[in-house]
């Protein structure tokens, strides 16, 4: 590995670790403000900050999408994925929700054949079943304890996978920064409308008031850490290549376990370790298989 590739890997590891830090900050708001409201404020702040950067670097013309319906679909997928994931880490240990979230890149490969007509090898479906069995192992005790709420990280993974599919379709429609602005800019109003509707529904459990200053500060921190993480992962990919940095995504799991243990007293049990091992092993197998000539690794970072 060259010095440039080594520095790229360091960038990627730092980026993925930073994503888990942001997730831990979100979990710290459990009980202070509902997750859908947190998601709405986080993406509103993120969209505003990214828009300022895009305006300064590329000018007003960069805000005109080539296909606004496609960008709206990306934003909707991110909105549903984030709301589901934030809700999941409110009620589940961070490591468990994170492990199930790693299904997204695997589901992307499987769904690419169904939605994009790509040639998907039979082994992809087989490995996907192994990963899903790992998810079932993690979910089994949680379903008994949490009910259907335990499926939230699985729902999040499905929407993240759909967003990755849409990212492929929109890959040549602007810069990396404009792609982030569009997805955040379309997801923020969807989340705001959803949170407002929940608050005005008359259901006591869904109502909420104005956030305290520390909730606003933590939402802003999550927006900054997420944008920073995406930039670090991007720099790592540019320096070392996607294939080199892809496995670094699993540092998120290590950081999530550590933060959950230290700050939330969440110690992973045997079910979580076994299930996460199956999911991660499946992802790494598909990544290695994707390095063969004529194939491309699809392991990649999630956007929150």
């Amino acid at each position: 590995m060259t010095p440039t590739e080594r520095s790229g890997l360091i960038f990627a590891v730092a980026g993925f670790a930073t994503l888990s830090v942001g997730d831990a900050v979100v979990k710290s708001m459990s009980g202070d403000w509902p997750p859908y409201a947190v998601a709405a404020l986080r993406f509103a702040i993120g969209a505003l900050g990214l828009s300022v950067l895009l305006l300064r670097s590329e000018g007003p013309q960069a805000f005109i999408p080539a296909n606004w319906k496609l960008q709206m679909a990306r934003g909707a997928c991110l909105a549903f994925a984030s709301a589901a994931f934030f809700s999941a880490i409110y009620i589940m240990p961070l490591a468990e929700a994170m492990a199930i979230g790693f299904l997204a890149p695997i589901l992307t490969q499987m769904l690419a054949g169904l939605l994009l007509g790509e040639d998907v090898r039979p082994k992809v479906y087989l490995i996907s079943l192994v990963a899903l069995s790992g998810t079932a192992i993690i979910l089994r005790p949680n379903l008994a304890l949490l009910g259907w709420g335990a499926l939230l990280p699985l729902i999040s993974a499905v929407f993240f996978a759909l967003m990755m599919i849409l990212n492929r379709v929109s890959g040549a429609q602007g810069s990396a920064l404009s792609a982030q602005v569009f997805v955040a800019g379309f997801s923020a109003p969807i989340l705001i409308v959803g949170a407002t509707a929940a608050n005005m529904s008359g259901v006591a459990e869904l109502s909420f008031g104005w956030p305290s200053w520390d909730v606003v500060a933590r939402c802003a921190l999550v927006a900054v850490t997420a944008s920073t993480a995406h930039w670090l992962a991007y720099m790592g990919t540019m320096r070392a290549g996607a294939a080199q940095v892809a496995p670094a995504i699993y540092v998120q799991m290590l950081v999530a376990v550590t933060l959950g243990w230290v700050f939330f007293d969440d110690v992973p049990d045997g079910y979580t370790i076994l299930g996460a091992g199956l999911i991660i092993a499946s992802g790494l197998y598909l990544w290695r298989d994707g390095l063969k000539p004529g194939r491309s690794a699809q392991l990649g970072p999630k956007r929150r």
Side-chain angles (χ1 to χ4, degrees), residues 88-198:
I89 60 179
Y90 264 39
I91 63 175
M92 294 175 64
L94 188 58
E96 293 182 10
M98 180 74 68
I100 298 172
F102 283 138
L103 273 176
I106 300 169
L107 292 175
T108 301
Q109 294 204 44
M110 185 174 65
L111 292 174
L114 300 175
L115 301 179
L116 299 181
E118 294 184 3
D119 183 21
V120 179
R121 300 178 309 283
K123 70 170 63 175
V124 171
Y125 295 105
L126 178 61
I127 297 301
S128 298
L129 289 176
V130 174
L132 287 172
S133 69
T135 303
I137 291 172
I138 297 175
L139 285 178
R140 183 180 177 185
N142 285 289
L143 279 171
L145 181 64
L146 301 174
W148 293 109
L151 296 178
L152 284 168
L154 181 58
I155 295 171
S156 177
V158 171
F159 278 108
F160 270 123
L162 291 173
M163 187 186 71
M164 290 180 186
I165 294 291
L166 294 172
N167 286 347
R168 292 194 196 183
V169 179
S170 64
Q173 299 185 9
S175 66
L177 179 57
S178 67
Q180 287 198 53
V181 169
F182 290 143
V183 75
F186 279 105
S187 64
I190 293 172
L191 288 164
I192 291 172
V193 170
T196 302

Side-chain angles (χ1 to χ4, degrees), residues 187-279:
S187 64
I190 293 172
L191 288 164
I192 291 172
V193 170
T196 302
N199 194 33
M200 298 176 63
S201 66
V203 180
E205 291 79 5
L206 299 179
S207 63
F208 57 92
W210 290 102
S212 60
W213 70 268
D214 63 305
V215 167
V216 176
R218 280 180 281 178
C219 286
L221 178 60
V222 174
V224 171
T225 56
S227 297
T228 301
H230 297 152
W231 178 81
L232 288 168
Y234 174 79
M235 289 297 296
T237 303
M238 291 301 98
R239 287 170 175 259
Q244 289 276 19
V245 306
I249 188 175
Y250 292 117
V251 76
Q252 287 182 256
M253 188 67 186
L254 297 176
V255 176
V257 169
T258 302
L259 293 176
W261 199 333
V262 173
F263 293 103
F264 307 108
D265 199 27
D266 292 333
V267 182
D269 58 17
Y271 289 107
T272 301
I273 295 172
L274 176 59
L278 287 173
I279 296 171

Side-chain angles (χ1 to χ4, degrees), residues 121 123 288-298:
R121 300 178 309 283
K123 70 170 63 175
R288 286 183 59 87
D289 190 62
L291 295 181
K292 296 178 180 178
R295 301 171 186 172
S296 59
Q298 298 298 334

